[in-house]
Structures are given as structure tokens and as C-alpha cells.
Amino acid sequence: GAVVSQHPSWVICKSGTSVKIECRSLDFQATTMFWYRQFPKQSLMLMATSNEGSKATYEQGVEKDKFLINHASLTLSTLTVTSAHPEDSSFYICSARSGTRGYGYTFGSGTRLTVV
Amino acid sequence: GENVEQHPSTLSVQEGDSAVIKCTYSDSASNYFPWYKQELGKRPQLIIDIRSNVGEKKDQRIAVTLNKTAKHFSLHITETQPEDSAVYFCAATDSGYSTLTFGKGTMLLVSP
């Protein structure tokens, strides 16, 4: 149980275009999802907390107009990187709380974004 | 907010040796401390966790200890194997029990 599906697993896009990443909880309802960014050989940095039916809460330094988050249902949250630039190239991972087995944080498989 | 410090950043051991990774946290209200193993390009995998009402927890070769007074917790891996090689992250919840704050990670290399 507590499976989080994330796709695409990798994407290459041109500078200036937008990319959407989806995160789905397959067997549980996730009222809260988290979006992380991870640069090579670095830790996971929280970008934003996504709550179903309300606006996302962004961490300091994260541009909300560049990283659009939508959490329209209890099983789906999306992250759209708008007007992507090479410096946005990174590994993006979502996580959801399943509420089972204690705190139950489950991670998606991650998306490798390369902007050329 | 919560701040988690993790040491060492890299750790090299011989197969069969023990490995210890240490973390400290700042928020005394934090009460959940998971450890994750991440292989290159893959998602973090929960390997063990501990809550603040417990001082130690063990699962086969892996154990975690927690000292609430000192606000530090440690991961212990015994009889290390090459397949234990990966990056390990500690984490702690914030006082709202919602977001996880991660340490910077420890790259563990187990040589045969």
C-alpha cells in the first residue's frame, strides 16, 4: 500500500517552454503533497507544500509564478515549471502523507528535468 | 523552522564493518525521525524510523537511537555489505508534523 506514482520519469525541454510533472497517490487519499528539488550530490530541498483544494505554500526563495502547483483532487498534484531555463534542470520528487503506518511519507519515483 | 545537521558527508568502510551516521535537530517539538536510503537517480526509500517516545529501534542489521535531551539521533548499520552503498538521509518533522526537513546526506561506500 501507499504508492505514489510520478511521471514523467525524465523529460528534456527547450528553454522557454513549460513542463508539467504529475504526482498521483494510487491507493490512498493525499490531502497534502510535498514537492522537492534535488541537485546532484545534494539533499532534498522542499519547494512547496500542496494542499488539496487550496493554494500551495512555497518555501522562501521559490518563485510561485515559475513553479505552479495545482492540487485539484485528493489523488493528484501537478508541478508546472514555466518558462524553463537551464538552471531549472534538476531532479524533482513529490511526496505524500498516507496517514498509515505512523506518519507515512511516501515518495514518487522522481522526474529528471533537463532544459537545453 | 527545523534545522537538521548530518555527519559525516562521506563514509567509507570495509565489508563487514559497522557504519554510524549522526544527525542533530533544532526543534525540540519534533517527534518523528525517519532515515532514508537513496540510490543514484532513484527515490528515497524509508529504511527505519523512530518516534520521540522511543530511545532505540532495531531492524535486523539496522538500528536507530534517539537522545531527545541532546536532540540527536543516529543510524547504525552492522555487518555492512556492498549493496548498502548509497546516500543516506536523516530527517525530522517540524512542530506541525507536516513537512520533513532533511539532513544533507551521507554517501556510504562499502568496499568488498
Side-chain angles (χ1 to χ4, degrees):
Chain A
V3 177
V4 174
S5 173
Q6 181 175 347
H7 68 89
S9 56
W10 62 271
V11 58
I12 301 174
C13 70
K14 293 183 177 181
S15 290
T17 61
S18 296
V19 173
K20 179 185 285 188
I21 302 170
E22 293 189 349
C23 182
R24 294 180 184 272
S25 55
L26 298 185
D27 50 2
F28 66 98
Q29 293 183 332
T31 55
T32 303
M33 290 188 176
F34 307 94
W35 287 96
Y36 295 87
R37 182 174 183 176
Q38 186 177 34
F39 290 108
K41 298 185 179 181
Q42 292 189 24
S43 188
L44 292 86
M45 298 302 298
L46 180 66
M47 297 175 66
T49 301
S50 166
N51 295 295
E52 185 268 336
S54 64
K55 292 183 178 180
T57 302
Y58 290 82
E59 295 299 299
Q60 189 173 7
V62 178
E63 300 176 58
K64 62 180 181 180
D65 293 330
K66 181 170 184 61
F67 299 99
L68 300 179
I69 293 173
N70 184 280
H71 194 158
S73 77
L74 287 171
T75 60
L76 174 65
S77 177
T78 61
L79 167 67
T80 300
V81 183
T82 63
S83 187
H85 292 282
E87 56 264 32
D88 298 325
S89 298
S90 186
F91 192 52
Y92 294 86
I93 310 178
C94 66
S95 173
R97 288 188 62 190
S98 65
T100 60
R101 296 185 59 200
Y103 293 85
Y105 296 89
T106 304
F107 286 87
S109 55
T111 298
R112 172 73 60 192
L113 170 64
T114 301
V115 184
V116 298
Chain B
E2 176 68 276
N3 182 48
V4 177
E5 299 285 339
Q6 182 173 349
H7 300 279
S9 57
T10 59
L11 179 58
S12 294
V13 299
Q14 291 291 118
E15 184 177 2
D17 288 349
S18 295
V20 180
I21 302 171
K22 298 181 179 182
C23 288
T24 60
Y25 62 99
S26 61
D27 189 346
S28 57
S30 290
N31 72 345
Y32 177 64
F33 309 92
W35 285 88
Y36 293 89
K37 176 183 180 181
Q38 187 180 29
E39 297 178 349
L40 188 63
K42 297 187 177 181
R43 79 184 82 193
Q45 297 278 4
L46 178 69
I47 56 172
I48 196 167
D49 55 13
I50 193 167
R51 299 180 195 179
S52 59
N53 59 346
V54 176
E56 183 174 358
K57 183 177 178 180
K58 188 173 181 179
D59 182 3
Q60 299 183 334
R61 298 187 297 109
I62 296 174
V64 57
T65 58
L66 171 66
N67 183 326
K68 280 198 68 180
T69 302
K71 289 191 283 187
H72 67 69
F73 55 113
S74 301
L75 176 71
H76 304 253
I77 305 174
T78 59
E79 300 173 29
T80 55
Q81 302 166 3
E83 49 266 38
D84 293 330
S85 297
V87 179
Y88 291 80
F89 293 99
C90 61
T93 60
D94 63 8
S95 56
Y97 313 136
S98 57
T99 60
L100 278 175
T101 301
F102 287 87
K104 293 188 181 298
T106 297
M107 179 175 291
L108 174 64
L109 177 61
V110 181
S111 303

